Short mmCIF file of all heavy atoms in Angstrom, two decimals:
data_model
loop_
_atom_site.label_atom_id
_atom_site.label_comp_id
_atom_site.label_asym_id
_atom_site.label_seq_id
_atom_site.Cartn_x
_atom_site.Cartn_y
_atom_site.Cartn_z
N MET A 1 -6.73 -61.84 52.46
CA MET A 1 -6.47 -61.84 53.89
C MET A 1 -6.72 -60.43 54.52
O MET A 1 -7.19 -60.37 55.63
CB MET A 1 -5.05 -62.31 54.11
CG MET A 1 -4.77 -62.64 55.56
SD MET A 1 -5.80 -63.99 56.16
CE MET A 1 -4.74 -64.72 57.30
N PRO A 2 -6.44 -59.32 53.81
CA PRO A 2 -6.69 -58.01 54.43
C PRO A 2 -8.14 -57.81 54.80
O PRO A 2 -8.43 -57.23 55.83
CB PRO A 2 -6.23 -57.03 53.33
CG PRO A 2 -5.27 -57.78 52.52
CD PRO A 2 -5.74 -59.21 52.53
N ALA A 3 -9.06 -58.30 54.01
CA ALA A 3 -10.49 -58.15 54.30
C ALA A 3 -10.81 -58.91 55.60
O ALA A 3 -11.64 -58.43 56.41
CB ALA A 3 -11.35 -58.64 53.14
N LEU A 4 -10.27 -60.06 55.77
CA LEU A 4 -10.49 -60.85 57.00
C LEU A 4 -9.97 -60.09 58.22
O LEU A 4 -10.68 -60.02 59.24
CB LEU A 4 -9.84 -62.19 56.87
CG LEU A 4 -10.12 -63.22 57.99
CD1 LEU A 4 -11.60 -63.48 58.12
CD2 LEU A 4 -9.39 -64.49 57.71
N LEU A 5 -8.81 -59.52 58.12
CA LEU A 5 -8.27 -58.72 59.22
C LEU A 5 -9.10 -57.51 59.54
O LEU A 5 -9.34 -57.18 60.69
CB LEU A 5 -6.83 -58.33 58.91
CG LEU A 5 -5.79 -59.46 58.90
CD1 LEU A 5 -4.44 -58.91 58.44
CD2 LEU A 5 -5.69 -60.11 60.24
N GLU A 6 -9.61 -56.83 58.48
CA GLU A 6 -10.47 -55.66 58.66
C GLU A 6 -11.78 -56.10 59.37
O GLU A 6 -12.26 -55.40 60.27
CB GLU A 6 -10.78 -55.01 57.31
CG GLU A 6 -11.60 -53.78 57.43
CD GLU A 6 -10.92 -52.63 58.11
OE1 GLU A 6 -9.65 -52.60 58.19
OE2 GLU A 6 -11.60 -51.70 58.58
N GLY A 7 -12.34 -57.22 58.97
CA GLY A 7 -13.52 -57.69 59.61
C GLY A 7 -13.30 -58.03 61.11
O GLY A 7 -14.16 -57.74 61.94
N MET A 8 -12.17 -58.57 61.40
CA MET A 8 -11.80 -58.88 62.79
C MET A 8 -11.68 -57.61 63.60
O MET A 8 -12.14 -57.53 64.74
CB MET A 8 -10.53 -59.68 62.81
CG MET A 8 -10.24 -60.37 64.06
SD MET A 8 -8.89 -61.56 63.69
CE MET A 8 -8.17 -61.69 65.28
N LYS A 9 -11.04 -56.57 63.03
CA LYS A 9 -10.91 -55.30 63.73
C LYS A 9 -12.26 -54.66 64.01
O LYS A 9 -12.56 -54.21 65.09
CB LYS A 9 -10.10 -54.30 62.92
CG LYS A 9 -8.60 -54.63 62.88
CD LYS A 9 -7.89 -53.62 62.03
CE LYS A 9 -6.46 -53.99 61.75
NZ LYS A 9 -5.79 -52.97 60.86
N LEU A 10 -13.14 -54.68 63.01
CA LEU A 10 -14.51 -54.13 63.18
C LEU A 10 -15.32 -54.87 64.21
O LEU A 10 -15.99 -54.33 65.03
CB LEU A 10 -15.24 -54.09 61.84
CG LEU A 10 -14.72 -53.09 60.83
CD1 LEU A 10 -15.41 -53.32 59.48
CD2 LEU A 10 -14.89 -51.71 61.27
N SER A 11 -15.15 -56.20 64.22
CA SER A 11 -15.82 -57.04 65.19
C SER A 11 -15.36 -56.73 66.61
O SER A 11 -16.20 -56.63 67.56
CB SER A 11 -15.61 -58.50 64.86
OG SER A 11 -16.23 -59.33 65.80
N ASN A 12 -14.08 -56.53 66.78
CA ASN A 12 -13.53 -56.20 68.07
C ASN A 12 -14.01 -54.81 68.55
O ASN A 12 -14.40 -54.62 69.73
CB ASN A 12 -12.02 -56.21 68.09
CG ASN A 12 -11.49 -57.64 68.06
OD1 ASN A 12 -12.16 -58.56 68.48
ND2 ASN A 12 -10.27 -57.79 67.52
N LYS A 13 -14.08 -53.84 67.65
CA LYS A 13 -14.56 -52.50 67.98
C LYS A 13 -16.04 -52.59 68.41
O LYS A 13 -16.45 -51.97 69.39
CB LYS A 13 -14.42 -51.58 66.83
CG LYS A 13 -13.02 -51.09 66.57
CD LYS A 13 -13.00 -50.11 65.41
CE LYS A 13 -11.58 -49.66 65.13
NZ LYS A 13 -11.54 -48.66 64.04
N ALA A 14 -16.84 -53.34 67.69
CA ALA A 14 -18.25 -53.49 68.02
C ALA A 14 -18.44 -54.15 69.38
O ALA A 14 -19.29 -53.75 70.14
CB ALA A 14 -18.97 -54.29 66.91
N ALA A 15 -17.60 -55.14 69.65
CA ALA A 15 -17.71 -55.80 70.96
C ALA A 15 -17.37 -54.84 72.11
O ALA A 15 -18.02 -54.89 73.17
CB ALA A 15 -16.76 -57.02 71.01
N HIS A 16 -16.45 -53.95 71.91
CA HIS A 16 -16.06 -53.00 73.00
C HIS A 16 -17.16 -51.99 73.30
O HIS A 16 -17.15 -51.41 74.36
CB HIS A 16 -14.79 -52.26 72.63
CG HIS A 16 -13.54 -53.12 72.75
ND1 HIS A 16 -13.18 -53.76 73.90
CD2 HIS A 16 -12.65 -53.47 71.81
CE1 HIS A 16 -12.07 -54.43 73.70
NE2 HIS A 16 -11.71 -54.28 72.43
N VAL A 17 -18.06 -51.76 72.37
CA VAL A 17 -19.14 -50.78 72.62
C VAL A 17 -20.52 -51.46 72.90
O VAL A 17 -21.53 -50.85 72.83
CB VAL A 17 -19.30 -49.75 71.47
CG1 VAL A 17 -18.03 -48.87 71.44
CG2 VAL A 17 -19.58 -50.43 70.17
N GLY A 18 -20.48 -52.79 73.19
CA GLY A 18 -21.67 -53.48 73.61
C GLY A 18 -22.42 -54.28 72.58
O GLY A 18 -23.50 -54.75 72.83
N PHE A 19 -21.84 -54.46 71.41
CA PHE A 19 -22.49 -55.24 70.37
C PHE A 19 -21.87 -56.64 70.27
O PHE A 19 -21.32 -57.03 69.25
CB PHE A 19 -22.40 -54.55 69.00
CG PHE A 19 -23.35 -53.37 68.88
CD1 PHE A 19 -22.86 -52.09 69.18
CD2 PHE A 19 -24.65 -53.54 68.58
CE1 PHE A 19 -23.72 -51.01 69.10
CE2 PHE A 19 -25.52 -52.44 68.54
CZ PHE A 19 -25.05 -51.17 68.81
N ASP A 20 -21.91 -57.34 71.38
CA ASP A 20 -21.38 -58.70 71.46
C ASP A 20 -22.22 -59.45 72.46
O ASP A 20 -22.49 -59.00 73.55
CB ASP A 20 -19.93 -58.66 71.97
CG ASP A 20 -19.25 -59.99 71.81
OD1 ASP A 20 -19.69 -60.80 70.98
OD2 ASP A 20 -18.22 -60.21 72.47
N TRP A 21 -22.78 -60.61 72.00
CA TRP A 21 -23.68 -61.39 72.84
C TRP A 21 -23.20 -62.80 72.94
O TRP A 21 -22.67 -63.38 71.98
CB TRP A 21 -25.12 -61.38 72.22
CG TRP A 21 -25.71 -60.02 72.16
CD1 TRP A 21 -26.37 -59.39 73.15
CD2 TRP A 21 -25.62 -59.11 71.10
NE1 TRP A 21 -26.75 -58.10 72.76
CE2 TRP A 21 -26.29 -57.90 71.48
CE3 TRP A 21 -25.04 -59.10 69.79
CZ2 TRP A 21 -26.44 -56.81 70.68
CZ3 TRP A 21 -25.16 -57.98 68.99
CH2 TRP A 21 -25.83 -56.84 69.44
N PRO A 22 -23.38 -63.40 74.13
CA PRO A 22 -22.97 -64.77 74.31
C PRO A 22 -23.78 -65.79 73.50
O PRO A 22 -23.32 -66.87 73.20
CB PRO A 22 -23.08 -65.02 75.80
CG PRO A 22 -23.99 -63.96 76.29
CD PRO A 22 -23.89 -62.83 75.35
N SER A 23 -25.01 -65.39 73.17
CA SER A 23 -25.87 -66.29 72.32
C SER A 23 -26.58 -65.45 71.29
O SER A 23 -26.68 -64.25 71.39
CB SER A 23 -26.90 -67.02 73.23
OG SER A 23 -27.90 -66.12 73.68
N ILE A 24 -27.12 -66.12 70.33
CA ILE A 24 -27.81 -65.48 69.22
C ILE A 24 -29.12 -64.79 69.70
O ILE A 24 -29.57 -63.84 69.11
CB ILE A 24 -28.08 -66.47 68.10
CG1 ILE A 24 -28.48 -65.80 66.77
CG2 ILE A 24 -29.17 -67.49 68.44
CD1 ILE A 24 -27.37 -65.12 66.05
N ASP A 25 -29.66 -65.26 70.79
CA ASP A 25 -30.90 -64.68 71.36
C ASP A 25 -30.71 -63.16 71.70
O ASP A 25 -31.59 -62.37 71.42
CB ASP A 25 -31.36 -65.43 72.61
CG ASP A 25 -31.84 -66.83 72.24
OD1 ASP A 25 -32.31 -67.07 71.16
OD2 ASP A 25 -31.68 -67.70 73.17
N GLY A 26 -29.55 -62.84 72.20
CA GLY A 26 -29.27 -61.42 72.55
C GLY A 26 -29.26 -60.57 71.30
O GLY A 26 -29.75 -59.42 71.31
N LEU A 27 -28.76 -61.12 70.21
CA LEU A 27 -28.71 -60.37 68.95
C LEU A 27 -30.13 -60.08 68.46
O LEU A 27 -30.46 -58.98 68.09
CB LEU A 27 -27.96 -61.18 67.92
CG LEU A 27 -28.03 -60.62 66.48
CD1 LEU A 27 -27.41 -59.23 66.39
CD2 LEU A 27 -27.32 -61.56 65.52
N PHE A 28 -31.01 -61.12 68.51
CA PHE A 28 -32.35 -60.95 68.05
C PHE A 28 -33.16 -60.00 68.93
O PHE A 28 -34.00 -59.21 68.45
CB PHE A 28 -33.08 -62.25 67.89
CG PHE A 28 -32.60 -63.02 66.64
CD1 PHE A 28 -31.91 -64.18 66.77
CD2 PHE A 28 -32.87 -62.50 65.39
CE1 PHE A 28 -31.46 -64.86 65.63
CE2 PHE A 28 -32.44 -63.15 64.22
CZ PHE A 28 -31.72 -64.34 64.38
N GLU A 29 -32.88 -59.98 70.23
CA GLU A 29 -33.52 -59.06 71.13
C GLU A 29 -33.15 -57.60 70.78
O GLU A 29 -33.96 -56.71 70.73
CB GLU A 29 -33.13 -59.36 72.61
CG GLU A 29 -33.78 -60.60 73.12
CD GLU A 29 -33.23 -61.00 74.50
OE1 GLU A 29 -32.49 -60.15 75.13
OE2 GLU A 29 -33.52 -62.09 74.96
N LYS A 30 -31.86 -57.39 70.48
CA LYS A 30 -31.40 -56.09 70.09
C LYS A 30 -32.00 -55.66 68.76
O LYS A 30 -32.45 -54.48 68.60
CB LYS A 30 -29.88 -56.05 70.02
CG LYS A 30 -29.28 -54.72 69.69
CD LYS A 30 -29.60 -53.68 70.79
CE LYS A 30 -28.92 -52.36 70.53
NZ LYS A 30 -29.30 -51.36 71.49
N LEU A 31 -32.10 -56.55 67.80
CA LEU A 31 -32.70 -56.25 66.55
C LEU A 31 -34.17 -55.86 66.68
O LEU A 31 -34.66 -54.93 66.03
CB LEU A 31 -32.57 -57.43 65.55
CG LEU A 31 -31.14 -57.66 64.99
CD1 LEU A 31 -31.12 -58.96 64.19
CD2 LEU A 31 -30.70 -56.51 64.14
N GLU A 32 -34.90 -56.59 67.55
CA GLU A 32 -36.32 -56.27 67.80
C GLU A 32 -36.45 -54.89 68.45
O GLU A 32 -37.32 -54.12 68.08
CB GLU A 32 -36.96 -57.33 68.68
CG GLU A 32 -38.41 -57.09 68.94
CD GLU A 32 -39.30 -57.00 67.68
OE1 GLU A 32 -38.99 -57.68 66.65
OE2 GLU A 32 -40.30 -56.25 67.71
N GLU A 33 -35.56 -54.59 69.38
CA GLU A 33 -35.56 -53.27 70.05
C GLU A 33 -35.36 -52.16 69.04
O GLU A 33 -36.08 -51.17 69.05
CB GLU A 33 -34.46 -53.24 71.11
CG GLU A 33 -34.28 -51.93 71.77
CD GLU A 33 -33.04 -51.89 72.69
OE1 GLU A 33 -32.71 -52.96 73.29
OE2 GLU A 33 -32.41 -50.82 72.76
N GLU A 34 -34.46 -52.35 68.12
CA GLU A 34 -34.16 -51.35 67.11
C GLU A 34 -35.32 -51.23 66.14
O GLU A 34 -35.66 -50.14 65.69
CB GLU A 34 -32.86 -51.66 66.34
CG GLU A 34 -31.61 -51.63 67.23
CD GLU A 34 -31.35 -50.25 67.81
OE1 GLU A 34 -31.66 -49.21 67.14
OE2 GLU A 34 -30.84 -50.16 68.94
N ALA A 35 -35.96 -52.37 65.80
CA ALA A 35 -37.13 -52.35 64.90
C ALA A 35 -38.29 -51.60 65.53
O ALA A 35 -38.99 -50.83 64.83
CB ALA A 35 -37.54 -53.78 64.54
N VAL A 36 -38.51 -51.72 66.80
CA VAL A 36 -39.58 -51.01 67.54
C VAL A 36 -39.30 -49.52 67.46
O VAL A 36 -40.19 -48.73 67.20
CB VAL A 36 -39.71 -51.51 68.99
CG1 VAL A 36 -40.54 -50.59 69.79
CG2 VAL A 36 -40.26 -52.91 69.01
N GLU A 37 -38.09 -49.12 67.71
CA GLU A 37 -37.71 -47.72 67.66
C GLU A 37 -37.89 -47.15 66.24
O GLU A 37 -38.39 -46.02 66.04
CB GLU A 37 -36.27 -47.53 68.06
CG GLU A 37 -36.03 -47.72 69.56
CD GLU A 37 -34.55 -47.54 69.94
OE1 GLU A 37 -33.77 -46.92 69.20
OE2 GLU A 37 -34.18 -48.08 71.01
N LEU A 38 -37.52 -47.94 65.21
CA LEU A 38 -37.69 -47.49 63.86
C LEU A 38 -39.15 -47.32 63.50
O LEU A 38 -39.55 -46.34 62.89
CB LEU A 38 -37.02 -48.52 62.89
CG LEU A 38 -37.15 -48.20 61.41
CD1 LEU A 38 -36.55 -46.85 61.07
CD2 LEU A 38 -36.51 -49.32 60.57
N ARG A 39 -40.02 -48.29 63.93
CA ARG A 39 -41.46 -48.18 63.65
C ARG A 39 -42.01 -46.93 64.30
O ARG A 39 -42.83 -46.22 63.72
CB ARG A 39 -42.17 -49.41 64.20
CG ARG A 39 -42.07 -50.61 63.31
CD ARG A 39 -42.99 -51.72 63.80
NE ARG A 39 -42.48 -52.99 63.34
CZ ARG A 39 -41.82 -53.89 64.09
NH1 ARG A 39 -41.61 -53.65 65.35
NH2 ARG A 39 -41.35 -54.98 63.53
N HIS A 40 -41.60 -46.65 65.51
CA HIS A 40 -42.05 -45.44 66.24
C HIS A 40 -41.69 -44.21 65.44
O HIS A 40 -42.54 -43.32 65.27
CB HIS A 40 -41.41 -45.43 67.64
CG HIS A 40 -41.73 -44.18 68.40
ND1 HIS A 40 -43.00 -43.91 68.93
CD2 HIS A 40 -40.98 -43.10 68.64
CE1 HIS A 40 -42.97 -42.73 69.55
NE2 HIS A 40 -41.72 -42.20 69.38
N GLU A 41 -40.47 -44.08 64.98
CA GLU A 41 -40.04 -42.91 64.24
C GLU A 41 -40.76 -42.82 62.89
O GLU A 41 -41.15 -41.70 62.44
CB GLU A 41 -38.52 -42.94 64.02
CG GLU A 41 -37.75 -42.73 65.31
CD GLU A 41 -38.11 -41.43 66.04
OE1 GLU A 41 -38.28 -40.40 65.39
OE2 GLU A 41 -38.21 -41.49 67.29
N VAL A 42 -40.95 -43.94 62.20
CA VAL A 42 -41.66 -43.91 60.92
C VAL A 42 -43.10 -43.47 61.10
O VAL A 42 -43.61 -42.73 60.28
CB VAL A 42 -41.61 -45.30 60.24
CG1 VAL A 42 -42.57 -45.42 59.09
CG2 VAL A 42 -40.18 -45.60 59.77
N ASN A 43 -43.75 -43.90 62.19
CA ASN A 43 -45.12 -43.49 62.47
C ASN A 43 -45.26 -42.00 62.73
O ASN A 43 -46.37 -41.45 62.63
CB ASN A 43 -45.71 -44.31 63.61
CG ASN A 43 -45.98 -45.72 63.17
OD1 ASN A 43 -46.18 -46.03 62.01
ND2 ASN A 43 -45.92 -46.63 64.14
N ARG A 44 -44.15 -41.34 63.10
CA ARG A 44 -44.21 -39.92 63.37
C ARG A 44 -44.15 -39.06 62.09
O ARG A 44 -44.48 -37.89 62.12
CB ARG A 44 -43.02 -39.52 64.25
CG ARG A 44 -43.13 -40.06 65.69
CD ARG A 44 -41.97 -39.69 66.51
NE ARG A 44 -41.72 -38.26 66.41
CZ ARG A 44 -40.63 -37.62 66.83
NH1 ARG A 44 -39.69 -38.32 67.39
NH2 ARG A 44 -40.49 -36.34 66.70
N ILE A 45 -43.81 -39.68 60.95
CA ILE A 45 -43.75 -38.95 59.68
C ILE A 45 -45.16 -38.71 59.20
O ILE A 45 -45.93 -39.64 59.08
CB ILE A 45 -42.97 -39.75 58.64
CG1 ILE A 45 -41.49 -40.01 59.14
CG2 ILE A 45 -42.98 -39.07 57.29
CD1 ILE A 45 -40.75 -40.96 58.28
N PRO A 46 -45.50 -37.42 58.97
CA PRO A 46 -46.90 -37.18 58.50
C PRO A 46 -47.12 -37.72 57.08
O PRO A 46 -46.19 -37.77 56.27
CB PRO A 46 -46.97 -35.70 58.49
CG PRO A 46 -45.58 -35.16 58.48
CD PRO A 46 -44.69 -36.24 59.10
N GLU A 47 -48.35 -38.16 56.85
CA GLU A 47 -48.72 -38.63 55.54
C GLU A 47 -48.79 -37.48 54.60
O GLU A 47 -49.27 -36.40 54.98
CB GLU A 47 -50.11 -39.32 55.60
CG GLU A 47 -50.11 -40.63 56.37
CD GLU A 47 -49.35 -41.71 55.63
OE1 GLU A 47 -49.42 -41.77 54.39
OE2 GLU A 47 -48.71 -42.51 56.32
N PRO A 48 -48.34 -37.64 53.35
CA PRO A 48 -48.43 -36.53 52.41
C PRO A 48 -49.89 -36.25 52.05
O PRO A 48 -50.68 -37.19 51.83
CB PRO A 48 -47.66 -37.00 51.20
CG PRO A 48 -47.60 -38.50 51.34
CD PRO A 48 -47.72 -38.79 52.80
N GLY A 49 -50.27 -35.00 52.02
CA GLY A 49 -51.62 -34.61 51.66
C GLY A 49 -51.72 -34.27 50.19
O GLY A 49 -50.79 -34.47 49.44
N PRO A 50 -52.87 -33.84 49.77
CA PRO A 50 -53.00 -33.46 48.37
C PRO A 50 -52.07 -32.32 48.01
O PRO A 50 -51.85 -31.41 48.77
CB PRO A 50 -54.48 -33.02 48.25
CG PRO A 50 -55.05 -32.96 49.62
CD PRO A 50 -54.05 -33.61 50.56
N GLN A 51 -51.54 -32.42 46.81
CA GLN A 51 -50.58 -31.41 46.35
C GLN A 51 -51.28 -30.40 45.41
O GLN A 51 -52.12 -30.79 44.67
CB GLN A 51 -49.44 -32.06 45.57
CG GLN A 51 -48.68 -33.10 46.39
CD GLN A 51 -47.99 -32.47 47.57
OE1 GLN A 51 -47.37 -31.45 47.45
NE2 GLN A 51 -48.08 -33.08 48.75
N PRO A 52 -50.96 -29.12 45.53
CA PRO A 52 -51.56 -28.12 44.63
C PRO A 52 -51.18 -28.41 43.21
O PRO A 52 -50.09 -28.87 42.90
CB PRO A 52 -50.97 -26.81 45.10
CG PRO A 52 -49.92 -27.11 46.07
CD PRO A 52 -49.98 -28.55 46.43
N VAL A 53 -52.12 -28.16 42.29
CA VAL A 53 -51.89 -28.45 40.87
C VAL A 53 -51.44 -27.14 40.19
O VAL A 53 -51.92 -26.06 40.48
CB VAL A 53 -53.17 -28.97 40.21
CG1 VAL A 53 -53.01 -29.19 38.74
CG2 VAL A 53 -53.62 -30.23 40.89
N GLY A 54 -50.54 -27.24 39.22
CA GLY A 54 -50.15 -26.09 38.42
C GLY A 54 -49.00 -25.27 38.99
O GLY A 54 -48.72 -24.20 38.49
N ARG A 55 -48.34 -25.75 40.02
CA ARG A 55 -47.24 -24.98 40.57
C ARG A 55 -45.90 -25.52 40.13
O ARG A 55 -44.90 -24.87 40.36
CB ARG A 55 -47.28 -25.05 42.09
CG ARG A 55 -48.57 -24.47 42.59
CD ARG A 55 -48.36 -23.75 43.81
NE ARG A 55 -49.62 -23.03 43.99
CZ ARG A 55 -49.96 -22.40 45.03
NH1 ARG A 55 -49.25 -22.43 46.02
NH2 ARG A 55 -51.12 -21.80 45.11
N GLY A 56 -45.88 -26.65 39.52
CA GLY A 56 -44.62 -27.25 39.11
C GLY A 56 -44.30 -26.97 37.67
O GLY A 56 -44.52 -25.87 37.18
N VAL A 57 -43.87 -27.97 36.99
CA VAL A 57 -43.51 -27.86 35.57
C VAL A 57 -44.70 -27.46 34.78
O VAL A 57 -44.61 -26.63 33.87
CB VAL A 57 -42.93 -29.21 35.05
CG1 VAL A 57 -42.67 -29.14 33.60
CG2 VAL A 57 -41.68 -29.56 35.84
N GLY A 58 -45.89 -27.99 35.08
CA GLY A 58 -47.09 -27.66 34.32
C GLY A 58 -47.42 -26.21 34.39
O GLY A 58 -47.74 -25.56 33.39
N GLY A 59 -47.26 -25.60 35.54
CA GLY A 59 -47.55 -24.16 35.71
C GLY A 59 -46.57 -23.34 34.93
O GLY A 59 -46.90 -22.32 34.29
N SER A 60 -45.30 -23.74 34.90
CA SER A 60 -44.26 -23.03 34.16
C SER A 60 -44.52 -23.12 32.70
O SER A 60 -44.37 -22.15 31.94
CB SER A 60 -42.89 -23.62 34.49
OG SER A 60 -42.63 -23.50 35.86
N ALA A 61 -44.92 -24.26 32.21
CA ALA A 61 -45.18 -24.46 30.78
C ALA A 61 -46.37 -23.57 30.34
O ALA A 61 -46.37 -23.02 29.28
CB ALA A 61 -45.48 -25.93 30.49
N GLY A 62 -47.41 -23.46 31.22
CA GLY A 62 -48.56 -22.66 30.90
C GLY A 62 -48.14 -21.18 30.78
O GLY A 62 -48.58 -20.48 29.91
N GLY A 63 -47.26 -20.73 31.67
CA GLY A 63 -46.81 -19.36 31.62
C GLY A 63 -46.01 -19.07 30.37
O GLY A 63 -46.14 -18.04 29.71
N ALA A 64 -45.18 -20.03 29.97
CA ALA A 64 -44.38 -19.90 28.74
C ALA A 64 -45.23 -19.89 27.51
O ALA A 64 -45.00 -19.16 26.56
CB ALA A 64 -43.33 -20.99 28.67
N LYS A 65 -46.28 -20.67 27.52
CA LYS A 65 -47.21 -20.74 26.39
C LYS A 65 -47.91 -19.41 26.17
O LYS A 65 -48.10 -18.95 25.02
CB LYS A 65 -48.21 -21.86 26.64
CG LYS A 65 -49.14 -22.14 25.48
CD LYS A 65 -49.96 -23.38 25.86
CE LYS A 65 -51.38 -23.18 25.41
NZ LYS A 65 -52.21 -24.33 25.77
N ARG A 66 -48.32 -18.76 27.26
CA ARG A 66 -48.99 -17.51 27.13
C ARG A 66 -48.13 -16.40 26.56
O ARG A 66 -48.55 -15.50 25.87
CB ARG A 66 -49.55 -17.06 28.50
CG ARG A 66 -50.79 -17.77 28.91
CD ARG A 66 -51.43 -17.14 30.13
NE ARG A 66 -50.58 -17.27 31.35
CZ ARG A 66 -50.67 -18.29 32.19
NH1 ARG A 66 -51.52 -19.25 31.96
NH2 ARG A 66 -49.88 -18.32 33.25
N GLU A 67 -46.82 -16.44 26.87
CA GLU A 67 -45.88 -15.41 26.40
C GLU A 67 -45.51 -15.60 24.94
O GLU A 67 -45.07 -14.66 24.31
CB GLU A 67 -44.61 -15.43 27.24
CG GLU A 67 -44.86 -14.96 28.66
CD GLU A 67 -43.64 -15.00 29.51
OE1 GLU A 67 -42.53 -15.10 28.95
OE2 GLU A 67 -43.75 -14.90 30.74
N SER A 68 -45.72 -16.74 24.38
CA SER A 68 -45.30 -17.05 23.00
C SER A 68 -46.21 -16.35 21.99
O SER A 68 -47.33 -16.03 22.18
CB SER A 68 -45.33 -18.53 22.71
OG SER A 68 -44.44 -19.19 23.56
#
């Protein structure tokens, strides 16, 4: 029963800040709006370019090998 009461409290809090719709259509409209915003932000992330070789573990191992 405590989980049910917690769910009810969270639902009431969400309704007070505008996350309550009279029909399911409003929910899907909000989800689509959020998905559009997420796609926009994801598209702003630059694609990773080629990485330099020999600067990571391989470069360190090469330096250790020379000192041995």
Side-chain angles (χ1 to χ4, degrees):
M1 193 64 147
L4 186 59
L5 291 174
E6 183 67 21
M8 196 166 153
K9 288 179 188 177
L10 291 173
S11 178
N12 286 336
K13 286 181 180 181
H16 286 303
V17 294
F19 287 95
D20 191 20
W21 297 274
S23 72
I24 195 75
D25 293 330
L27 171 63
F28 285 113
E29 287 172 11
K30 183 63 175 175
L31 287 172
E32 181 59 32
E33 176 187 325
E34 295 298 326
V36 167
E37 289 178 20
L38 178 60
R39 282 188 204 103
H40 175 74
E41 292 302 319
V42 167
N43 288 334
R44 292 180 48 193
I45 299 171
E47 291 291 324
Q51 301 296 316
V53 177
R55 299 217 169 168
V57 175
S60 300
K65 185 173 139 182
R66 283 191 293 271
E67 292 180 15
S68 300

